[in-house]
Amino acid sequence: MKKPRPQITGLLNQNGAAVLSFRAARNVLYGSHNHKTAVEKNALAASLLVAAILLGSGMAIVIRFLEGYSAFQIVFLRSAIVVSVLLPILTFRGSRFWDVARPRLLFLRGLLGSIGQTLTVMAVLSLPLATFQALSFSRAFMVVALGVLVLGEIVTWRRWAAVALGFVGVLIVVDPLTAYNSAAFYALGGTFAFACALLLTKVLLKSESRGTLMLWNAGTHFTVSLIPALLTWSQPTGWDPLLFLALGAIILVVQPISLQAFRLGEISALAPIDYLRILTGAASGFFVFGEKPGASFWVGALVIIGANVWIQRQNAQS
C-alpha cells in the first residue's frame, strides 16, 4: 500500500487537528463538567470569560470601523447574520421555537434588546471606548432599582446606598464639562433597555429554551430595524461586508461562551474578571484610535467598580 504524498498527509493532519479542536471547543461549551472541582470550574469559567471580553472589545473596534453606516443598518445586518445561522441549526435539532408559551413577552424582550442594541451602537460610534465600557456597568444599579419597581423585591438601605454611589461614579465618568457628555445618554439608555430585557429573561427562562430566546431576540432585532435600515441604507463597499460578517460571527461566539462561563463559575470569582472590560476598552481606544482617558474617567470607573462590589456582597449575604 502506497503512503500518502507529503502534502496530502499534511492536509489530513490539518483537518484532523481542526476536527479535534472543534470537538474540544464543543466539549468545553456543552460537555459535562460535573467531575471537576470548584477551583477547576472557576478557572475554566475565568478563561471563557476573558475570551468573551476580548472578543467583545474586538466587536466594539469593528463597529467603530463601520462608522460610515447608520446604527440601524449595523443592527439589521448583524441580526440578519445571526438569524441565518441560528434558524437552520435550531430547525435541524428539531426545536419548536415557534411554539412558545409567552410570545408577547418574547417580543417585548426582543424590542427592548433592539432599542438597547441600537443605542449601544450609537454610543460606541460617539464615545471613547473606555467611557462606553465604564458606563455599561451601570446596568447592575438599574437592575436593583427595576427589581423593586417591577418585581417588588425588597432592597436594604445598603443596596440603595451602593446604587447611589454607582450613579455618582457614572456622573464622574460622564463629566458634564466635556464635549461628548450628551452622547453618554446613548450608553445609559441602551444599558437601561438591556436591564429591562434582563428582568424579562429571568422570567422567560422558566418556560423557554436559550436557543428560542436567542432566535426570537435576533428575529425581533431584524424586524424592528428593517425599515429604518432601508431608509438610511448605504451600500457596503471594500472590506465592509467582511466586517459585518465578523460582527455576526462574534455575537454567535460570545453569547454561548459568556453563558457557559457564568454557568460554570461562581459570580464572586468571575466579577473581578468582568471589570477587565474597562481596561480592554481603554486599551482598544488608546492603541487603535489614540483615545486617552482623563483623570475623571479613572476616578469614576473606580467608584463604579466599588459600587458593583458592594452590591455583589449584599447579594451574597442575602
Side-chain angles (χ1 to χ4, degrees), residues 9-281:
T9 304
L11 181 61
L12 292 175
N13 290 337
Q14 291 174 6
N15 288 339
V19 171
L20 289 174
S21 299
F22 174 77
R23 289 177 178 174
R26 185 179 61 183
N27 289 335
V28 168
L29 290 177
Y30 304 108
S32 175
H33 299 279
N34 294 331
H35 63 283
K36 295 183 181 296
T37 65
V39 174
E40 290 174 334
K41 288 182 179 179
N42 283 334
L44 178 57
S47 300
L48 292 173
L49 187 57
V50 169
I53 290 172
L54 293 176
L55 287 170
S57 297
M59 182 164 57
I61 294 173
V62 172
I63 291 174
R64 183 67 68 80
F65 281 129
L66 293 171
E67 60 183 356
Y69 302 90
S70 70
F72 299 109
Q73 184 174 350
I74 293 175
V75 172
F76 170 74
L77 289 176
R78 185 169 62 179
S79 59
I81 295 169
V82 174
V83 169
S84 65
V85 173
L86 282 180
L87 186 59
I89 291 177
L90 294 180
T91 302
F92 178 77
R93 296 169 105 183
S95 174
R96 297 175 60 86
F97 53 83
W98 63 88
D99 186 15
V100 295
R102 299 178 177 180
R104 293 181 180 178
L105 282 185
L106 279 168
F107 176 76
L108 178 59
R109 175 180 176 270
L111 180 61
L112 289 168
S114 181
I115 295 172
Q117 289 282 359
T118 303
L119 291 175
T120 295
V121 171
M122 294 170 67
V124 172
L125 294 175
S126 305
L127 288 170
L129 295 183
T131 301
F132 163 73
Q133 292 287 13
L135 293 178
S136 69
F137 280 98
S138 61
R139 184 186 307 182
F141 321 136
M142 295 178 182
V143 168
V144 172
L146 287 170
V148 175
L149 297 175
V150 179
L151 302 180
E153 295 179 348
I154 299 176
V155 177
T156 64
W157 68 268
R158 290 183 177 85
R159 288 190 189 178
W160 281 121
V163 170
L165 178 63
F167 281 110
V168 168
V170 169
L171 289 176
I172 296 174
V173 168
V174 171
D175 189 2
L177 298 179
T178 60
Y180 58 78
N181 71 306
S182 59
F185 289 103
Y186 298 148
L188 294 175
T191 301
F192 179 75
F194 283 134
C196 294
L198 180 60
L199 292 181
L200 290 178
T201 301
K202 293 181 179 180
V203 175
L204 288 167
L205 278 174
K206 298 177 182 178
S207 59
E208 315 297 346
S209 67
R210 288 180 173 83
T212 297
L213 290 179
M214 289 178 63
L215 183 60
W216 273 71
N217 199 49
T220 306
H221 296 178
F222 176 87
T223 305
V224 171
S225 60
L226 173 59
I227 294 178
L230 293 177
L231 293 175
T232 58
W233 188 268
S234 295
Q235 186 62 31
T237 58
W239 293 95
D240 293 348
L242 293 179
L243 293 177
F244 281 113
L245 287 173
L247 280 182
I250 290 173
I251 286 185
L252 288 168
V253 173
V254 167
Q255 286 188 349
I257 286 179
S258 300
L259 286 173
Q260 183 68 343
F262 284 102
R263 188 180 297 124
L264 282 175
E266 300 171 345
I267 294 179
S268 58
L270 296 180
I273 297 174
D274 196 35
Y275 298 132
L276 283 174
R277 289 197 285 120
I278 295 180
L279 297 179
T280 56

